[in-house]
Amino acid sequence: MAKLYLVLAALFGASGVALGAFGAHGLRDKVTENLLEAYKTGVQYQMLHALALLGVALLIQSRGVHLSLTLSGAFFVFGVVFFSGSLYALALGGPRWLGPVTPVGGTLMIAGWIALLIAAANFSK
């Protein structure tokens, strides 16, 4: 599990940098300011959760596999896919029905942080 989360953290980080550069240079004059801001928010949350996922991977590596850590990582992964992915798609002209997907992704990200909190509470001293 640690290796999978480490690989996904690296992929999210690398693609986040690439998507950020694309947004800054390729979308600047092609989409409205509101859509560009939404796109930037997607990149920002993707990068933050790439780092969070890296932390989860390192915790699993050092502490072992625990349900709350496994769930935390899974929530972060699916949160990025739904939250950031829907914002990218909307900014690039995707269907409007993707709008309600964004808060689902945000909720998954919050669940990931709560699962990480539970993991921390359960760590033995």
Side-chain angles (χ1 to χ4, degrees), residues 1-93:
M1 191 58 53
K3 183 176 180 177
L4 172 64
Y5 287 162
L6 181 59
V7 167
L8 290 172
L11 289 172
F12 283 166
S15 63
V17 172
L19 288 165
F22 172 72
H25 302 290
L27 293 180
R28 188 176 334 149
D29 299 326
K30 300 199 177 26
V31 299
T32 66
E33 188 63 34
N34 285 346
L35 289 176
L36 188 57
E37 284 303 312
Y39 186 92
K40 288 178 182 179
T41 298
V43 171
Q44 180 183 19
Y45 277 64
Q46 178 175 332
M47 293 301 292
L48 289 170
H49 286 84
L51 293 174
L53 191 57
L54 172 63
V56 169
L58 295 174
L59 283 170
I60 290 172
Q61 183 67 31
S62 68
R63 299 273 189 163
V65 176
H66 297 278
L67 178 61
S68 53
L69 286 175
T70 302
L71 287 174
S72 178
F75 288 144
F76 288 152
V77 169
F78 288 106
V80 167
V81 170
F82 288 128
F83 182 85
S84 297
S86 65
L87 290 176
Y88 299 148
L90 287 166
L92 296 171

Side-chain angles (χ1 to χ4, degrees), residues 59 63 68-69 114-124:
L59 283 170
R63 299 273 189 163
S68 53
L69 286 175
I114 292 170
L116 187 57
L117 176 64
I118 292 168
N122 289 326
F123 285 160
S124 58

